[in-house]
Amino acid sequence: MIVVQKYGGTSVGNLERIENVANRIIKSKQLYKDLVVIVSAMSGRTNELIERAQYYSDNPSKLEMDKLLNCGEKESAALLAIALISKGYDAVSLSGKDALMLTSSDYTNAKIISIDNSRVKQELQKGKIVIIAGFQGADENGFETTLGRGGSDLSAVAFAGALNADLCEIYTDVDGVYTTDPRIEPKAKKLDKISYEEMLELASLGAKVLQNRSVELAKKLNVKLVTRSSFNENEGTIITSEEKMEQALVSGIALDKNQARITLRQVEDKPGIAAKVFTTLAKNEINVDMIIQNVGRDGTTNIGFTVPQSSLNQALDAMRELLGANALIESDSEIVKVSVVGVGMKTHAGVASSAFLALANEGINIQMISTSEIKISLIVASKYAELAVRTLHKTYNLDK
Ligand code: ASP
Ligand code: MG
């Protein structure tokens, strides 16, 4: 059985914690014949390295940044190998380049092209525990690259795929994926299982347990993921394909506080207006999330949409420039997006109506609605954020 484990920055955050990880690995090695471990840099290290470079330049050479940034993971990988060897276990650390991960040359944000698993297999055959520095590879010129922030999750999944591993365990400082943020609803429960699709929705909606790209890759390569804590023995959350799930109607409630709403009132109701508005926003690289347009009346219509809060001013400027100084443009940054996520929605009716009814009973007005196959998102006033989350959590019996 081949198992890939990944330990995140807080799990290897100091020398004692690295020793704790070494002890966990020793236990795992007794269970699994072949063990490959991917590590992040010690927490804070990557930021510290970035700050050092910024001493010289606001825009340092990306090629050199990658040589600098990949040192963080090399450091924790070597320290972990040293700790294991000192305890009498045979271990070896490899950089991403040593482990033959080939990437594109997009320095600081490289894409994985392929992994030649021969080097890792060779070390496993020698009976070694293989520790690989996450977040990095090398391009066809032999220059080392990094995969973008949070990229060691991606390394773990990619190596698990390349080695055809039976399991990829991601260790962090939380127990797994919860039905909602336990700081908002203390009755939130840890989920035993969740599908890749649901995880992607919950992650992009703010449940930051795993990097999104890594979940997408796991889905593509069909890698069985488990996320769990390195600080206790609790079972984590399994992330797997939908077919392997007993379909819960709703798996979780996510909250996104980073949205702002813009409404364009009485814009001309004729072909090409929406195209102009959203092309302008795209040109400004503003990510639009929800959009609603009403049926027009008297030759005009209203178009509403949401953008990230940090882009609100830029979006408003762009709209004023496009529509002219007299245009009726309203905005509201005191809103949040609450989403109900669950694969079971595909096959059940009435999920949306129970959400609407529950919020109505609490006197919470819904400003915008959007739905997909496995998600219902609602925009409500910020002051209702917590109440809306708790209400919906209860509506779908997620506290039971
Ligand atoms: N050390 C890198 C970062 O902080 C990669 C990772 O931790 O996943 O982004
Ligand atoms: Mg991380």
Side-chain angles (χ1 to χ4, degrees):
M1 182 159 174
I2 299 192
V3 172
V4 171
Q5 296 185 332
K6 181 253 169 178
Y7 291 91
T10 46
S11 299
V12 295
N14 59 39
L15 300 178
E16 268 172 24
R17 286 182 178 180
I18 290 179
E19 181 152 30
N20 166 50
V21 167
N23 291 333
R24 292 193 82 107
I25 291 173
I26 289 167
K27 274 199 210 152
S28 300
K29 180 65 185 164
Q30 282 148 15
L31 296 173
Y32 312 127
K33 185 172 156 284
D34 290 319
L35 189 57
V36 174
V37 176
I38 315 289
V39 286
S40 283
M42 297 168 79
S43 58
R45 181 68 91 217
T46 307
N47 289 340
E48 200 177 295
L49 294 171
I50 292 172
E51 272 166 35
R52 288 188 184 179
Q54 283 169 346
Y55 178 85
Y56 303 105
S57 164
D58 291 336
N59 188 18
S61 150
K62 291 191 171 176
L63 177 69
E64 296 305 330
M65 276 314 274
D66 274 358
K67 292 186 191 176
L68 178 65
L69 293 188
N70 80 22
C71 295
E73 271 72 10
K74 285 179 181 166
E75 174 188 31
S76 46
L79 286 170
L80 181 55
I82 289 169
L84 283 164
I85 294 165
S86 77
K87 290 173 187 287
Y89 286 79
D90 209 2
V92 63
S93 74
L94 302 175
S95 68
K97 184 178 177 181
D98 295 338
L100 305 177
M101 179 189 283
L102 179 68
T103 73
S104 68
S105 303
D106 305 301
Y107 303 111
T108 73
N109 200 15
K111 309 279 170 293
I112 300 173
I113 294 172
S114 61
I115 291 176
D116 171 351
N117 68 17
S118 61
R119 180 66 196 277
V120 176
K121 285 217 155 147
Q122 220 176 59
E123 299 296 343
L124 288 173
Q125 265 149 25
K126 291 185 208 156
K128 291 187 195 279
I129 300 169
V130 181
I131 317 287
I132 304 175
F135 174 55
Q136 57 184 277
D139 67 7
E140 57 181 4
N141 304 311
F143 284 124
E144 289 178 283
T145 54
T146 64
L147 306 176
R149 296 310 300 269
S152 40
D153 287 346
L154 192 63
S155 298
V157 171
F159 278 104
L163 293 161
N164 211 350
D166 300 272
L167 184 64
C168 179
E169 294 182 318
I170 308 279
Y171 284 92
T172 68
D173 51 3
V174 290
D175 280 355
V177 184
Y178 279 75
T179 49
T180 195
D181 185 341
R183 286 168 302 183
I184 297 176
E185 174 51 273
K187 287 185 197 146
K189 294 264 180 307
K190 195 195 71 206
L191 293 158
D192 295 333
K193 258 192 189 183
I194 186 171
S195 70
Y196 298 118
E197 290 81 1
E198 289 168 312
M199 184 65 207
L200 283 168
E201 293 294 355
L202 290 171
S204 61
L205 296 168
K208 296 189 224 81
V209 188
L210 276 173
Q211 187 220 35
N212 255 5
R213 268 167 81 193
S214 70
V215 181
E216 278 161 14
L217 188 65
K219 183 179 165 198
K220 188 167 147 209
L221 303 178
N222 208 4
V223 168
K224 182 177 169 192
L225 279 176
V226 174
T227 149
R228 55 188 298 185
S229 168
S230 69
F231 297 99
N232 61 46
E233 297 303 322
N234 299 344
E235 301 279 334
T237 301
I238 299 172
I239 302 151
T240 184
S241 60
E242 213 179 279
E243 301 82 65
K244 297 191 181 127
M245 308 262 313
E246 251 181 74
Q247 301 205 343
L249 191 58
V250 169
S251 297
I253 312 293
L255 174 64
D256 181 354
K257 291 183 171 173
N258 179 33
Q259 296 277 318
R261 180 172 59 81
I262 295 180
T263 307
L264 312 176
R265 294 226 184 267
Q266 295 174 24
V267 290
E268 271 183 288
D269 192 15
K270 67 170 197 203
I273 294 291
K276 259 196 217 159
V277 167
F278 295 105
T279 310
T280 304
L281 294 166
K283 275 197 193 129
N284 282 279
E285 291 189 29
I286 297 168
N287 277 324
V288 176
D289 185 18
M290 285 194 188
I291 300 175
I292 43 171
Q293 181 179 334
N294 299 335
V295 176
R297 202 178 163 184
D298 304 330
T300 71
T301 188
N302 298 333
I303 300 177
F305 53 91
T306 63
V307 296
Q309 248 168 42
S310 55
S311 308
L312 178 61
N313 288 332
Q314 200 197 347
L316 286 172
D317 289 345
M319 289 300 101
R320 282 189 204 109
E321 200 186 311
L322 178 73
L323 301 170
N326 296 328
L328 296 173
I329 302 173
E330 290 166 13
S331 70
D332 186 357
S333 58
E334 296 297 306
I335 56 144
V336 295
K337 179 170 79 170
V338 184
S339 301
V340 179
V341 176
V343 287
M345 278 182 216
K346 283 187 188 176
T347 47
H348 287 80
V351 178
S353 58
S354 3
F356 304 154
L357 189 64
L359 295 185
N361 285 339
E362 294 294 337
I364 301 173
N365 187 38
I366 302 168
Q367 303 181 10
M368 287 171 103
I369 301 169
S370 86
T371 62
S372 77
E373 259 195 320
I374 66 162
K375 180 179 75 168
I376 303 160
S377 294
L378 307 167
I379 298 289
V380 301
S382 302
K383 64 177 176 189
Y384 294 127
E386 277 81 15
L387 179 61
V389 168
R390 283 195 293 266
T391 303
L392 294 172
H393 195 262
K394 189 158 173 254
T395 301
Y396 300 104
N397 292 319
L398 294 174
D399 47 353
K400 297 283 149 53

